Amino acid sequence: MSRIQLALDVDDLEASIAFYSRLFGTEPAKVRPGYANFAVAEPPLKLVLLENPGRGGSINHLGVEVADTQAVDDEQTRLSAAGFPAREERGTTCCYAKQDKFWVEGAPDGERWEIYTVLADSPTPGGPAAGEPCACASPADADAPATAGCC
């Protein structure tokens, strides 16, 4: 199983949850403070909503969710052979989930793409203690709220 991930910044999480629930005919798979995600069956999509007032309607980042760590490794090997540099993160906590992932670097317009698998649920958004920045935040986002830049 793999599916495209689309992470959107939204101004109002509750209004966005209501809209996307109706649009895709499904309720969120996970809702946490400032965060929600949908596992949409058709079309296969992982939709992530990140409450970032003032940035609503913009793409936060993109990704491909894969079945397991072996699939992450296979994709990293394939993309490395094709000349794509990557920033690897293993056992990282991001968006209320422990993950193995890597970030593809060098997109022509600076798009942020991750290839990842979810290992387990987490009670915190992005680190061992609530309020720490998510591991998937870019270095420029290090001082941003815990939900900014999360997947």
Side-chain angles (χ1 to χ4, degrees):
M1 182 268 327
S2 69
R3 59 184 163 200
I4 294 294
Q5 177 198 49
L6 172 60
L8 299 175
D9 287 323
V10 300
D11 288 321
D12 182 328
L13 185 63
E14 293 305 316
S16 296
I17 288 172
F19 174 83
Y20 287 107
S21 293
R22 288 191 324 268
L23 180 67
F24 290 113
T26 189
E27 293 300 310
K30 185 186 293 190
V31 178
R32 300 289 189 272
Y35 174 87
N37 78 42
F38 291 78
V40 180
E42 191 58 41
L45 173 68
K46 177 72 159 275
L47 176 65
V48 175
L49 305 176
L50 301 162
E51 191 167 43
N52 284 312
R55 296 195 48 162
S58 62
I59 293 175
N60 185 286
H61 67 277
L62 304 158
V64 178
E65 182 181 22
V66 297
D68 54 31
T69 299
Q70 184 60 54
V72 171
D73 293 342
D74 292 347
E75 282 302 296
Q76 190 170 9
T77 298
R78 181 183 72 79
L79 292 171
S80 177
F84 288 96
R87 182 171 44 90
E88 186 174 330
E89 295 178 5
R90 299 302 170 117
T92 191
T93 300
C94 183
C95 297
Y96 297 95
K98 184 175 179 184
Q99 304 172 356
D100 281 342
K101 69 167 81 182
F102 68 95
W103 291 90
V104 179
E105 298 189 341
D109 293 310
E111 307 91 325
R112 295 180 41 204
W113 278 94
E114 66 176 334
I115 312 295
Y116 72 99
T117 191
V118 174
L119 304 171
D121 198 35
S122 171
T124 60
E132 289 186 12
C134 288
C136 60
S138 68
D141 296 332
D143 295 326
T147 56
C150 291
C151 29

